[in-house]
Amino acid sequence: MSHVEKEKKKLLNRLKRMRGQLEAIERAVEEDRECARVLQQATACRGALDGFIAEVIEDHIREHLIDPASSADSPHRAAAEELVEIVHAYLT
């Protein structure tokens, strides 16, 4: 994943927050918390993972599919940008 090197710190911070969310879910289950509370925490964790996946996909698209030499109005660049928007709409 060398293409995400510049985003590495941001991604690692996101993963640390997700780890904290998972630990909170684990504690809630161990402490027999309400099902609604556990589900709420699990949903938040799923959203965080979806956001992480969206970031990695976006970085991949921008690094490997968009030619830096192409103009801003090229059809290929426009299609890649549209794909980024679709991924974000679906995952975030």
Side-chain angles (χ1 to χ4, degrees), residues 58 61-62 66 72 76-86:
E58 178 181 348
I61 291 168
R62 293 188 190 287
I66 298 176
H76 185 72
R77 182 181 286 268
E81 293 293 343
E82 182 180 6
L83 181 57
V84 168
E85 289 177 22
I86 290 168

Side-chain angles (χ1 to χ4, degrees), residues 18-75:
M18 286 189 294
R19 182 181 302 127
Q21 288 176 312
L22 284 171
E23 290 169 355
I25 294 169
E26 183 178 5
R27 282 190 306 274
V29 170
E30 287 173 348
E31 296 169 1
D32 292 324
R33 297 276 172 96
E34 297 175 25
C35 293
R37 172 98 177 168
V38 173
L39 287 172
Q40 182 181 30
Q41 288 176 310
T43 302
C45 191
R46 182 180 62 189
L49 182 58
D50 286 346
F52 175 83
I53 292 168
E55 286 291 326
V56 173
I57 291 172
E58 178 181 348
D59 290 344
H60 179 79
I61 291 168
R62 293 188 190 287
E63 183 70 25
H64 297 290
L65 298 180
I66 298 176
D67 180 5
S70 68
S71 66
D73 61 346
S74 76

